[in-house]
Amino acid sequence: MNLLLVEDEPNVVSVISRGLTDEGFSVSVAPDGLIGKKMALENQFDLIILDIMLPGINGLELCKIIKDQKANTPIIMLTALGTTENVVNGLDNGADDYLVKPFKFAELFARIRMLLRRYSGISSQDQVINVADLQINLSAKTVSRNQQELILTATEYRLLEYMAKNKGKILSRIDILESVWDIDFNLGTNVVDVYVNYLRKKVDKNSDQKLIHTAVGLGYVLKDK
């Protein structure tokens, strides 16, 4: 497995590179955003780890650039900023996961394994989920409602896909955190509520039939009745 680490702190580079190499990964390192961009776009990596505070191009901008061209390359963001706003900003730019410094290598490794499992299961065959007039193409990763395309961020799409695959089932916030992000955020965060509201504005706003429902005290459910 080939991984790219875009990080300008030598101590962090040393710890991550040594740990991943010991686990059998091949690790390439870029010391700034400009070099990271060139390496990410000109080479094939199984996963990319990005720091947010980078010289040249910051990690948020670089994440978006990479995801626009290589949507199926998983990205983990590293940052010293762990507020809900910063988590949402990272995920809105296409990041699959978010790890706050300082962190334990075992936690990073666990998240890498989970992301690699998630992306290894992507099928090339067209698969479509229909919920009322909502249609989700799992292969093309497109969404439409009443035959009108909906433009979703990568995180919004993953959340909607998870809810659609569990149509009619009440999903707790913990279920969503663990299944959509593969991580266990501090349970005090409102990141799930933030993203459900994002989805509602895009999926239900212009339709009389609402599909995303709140189960008070329990979580959320996607259903057509």
Side-chain angles (χ1 to χ4, degrees):
M1 289 285 184
N2 297 314
L3 275 58
L4 173 63
L5 171 62
V6 188
E7 170 64 69
D8 64 328
E9 294 184 31
N11 290 339
V12 176
V13 170
S14 177
V15 170
I16 294 178
S17 296
R18 184 172 61 251
L20 291 176
T21 300
D22 289 345
E23 295 292 342
F25 292 100
S26 174
V27 182
S28 299
V29 177
D32 62 51
L34 291 172
I35 296 175
K37 175 184 174 183
K38 180 178 176 63
M39 293 177 67
L41 298 184
E42 293 182 0
N43 300 278
Q44 185 61 44
F45 293 100
D46 297 293
L47 183 142
I48 297 174
I49 303 170
L50 291 180
D51 187 24
I52 286 186
M53 302 300 292
L54 291 169
I57 301 176
N58 70 55
L60 293 174
E61 184 180 350
L62 179 54
C63 181
K64 187 176 187 306
I65 291 171
I66 295 171
K67 281 293 190 176
D68 284 345
Q69 298 191 40
K70 297 189 173 185
N72 288 334
T73 299
I75 294 178
I76 297 176
M77 303 292 292
L78 302 180
T79 182
L81 306 173
T83 66
T84 296
E85 180 181 359
N86 285 297
V87 171
V88 170
N89 284 338
L91 298 173
D92 273 349
N93 281 277
D96 297 279
D97 206 341
Y98 195 100
L99 196 57
V100 179
K101 299 176 181 177
F103 54 85
K104 294 181 179 180
F105 176 77
E107 183 179 7
L108 173 63
F109 183 49
R111 306 219 182 155
I112 289 173
R113 289 199 312 265
M114 286 187 285
L115 279 179
L116 291 175
R117 285 199 301 268
R118 177 200 292 173
Y119 276 82
S120 69
I122 295 176
S123 172
S124 61
Q125 297 179 348
D126 286 343
Q127 300 179 59
V128 175
I129 298 177
N130 293 294
V131 183
D133 58 352
L134 176 71
Q135 185 175 86
I136 305 169
N137 187 308
L138 303 181
S139 177
K141 296 191 180 301
T142 57
V143 178
S144 63
R145 180 106 198 245
N146 192 25
Q147 299 184 336
Q148 297 296 315
E149 184 178 6
L150 304 180
I151 305 302
L152 306 182
T153 67
T155 306
E156 289 167 353
Y157 173 82
R158 289 200 305 271
L159 174 57
L160 183 61
E161 179 184 300
Y162 175 64
M163 295 181 76
K165 287 180 176 178
N166 291 276
K167 179 176 66 174
K169 178 182 177 181
I170 295 174
L171 303 170
S172 71
R173 289 170 178 81
I174 296 176
D175 290 334
I176 294 171
L177 285 172
E178 292 179 346
S179 299
V180 175
W181 284 279
D182 282 336
I183 50 179
D184 181 15
F185 282 120
N186 184 313
L187 297 184
T189 182
N190 65 345
V191 68
V192 171
D193 306 291
V194 168
Y195 272 93
V196 169
N197 286 332
Y198 285 169
L199 271 185
R200 278 184 166 141
K201 290 177 181 178
K202 295 183 178 182
V203 172
D204 284 341
K205 182 178 180 180
N206 298 317
S207 299
D208 293 332
Q209 183 182 13
K210 307 306 179 186
L211 300 180
I212 300 173
H213 302 270
T214 300
V216 179
L218 298 174
Y220 298 101
V221 57
L222 183 73
K223 60 182 180 179
D224 54 8
K225 295 181 181 180

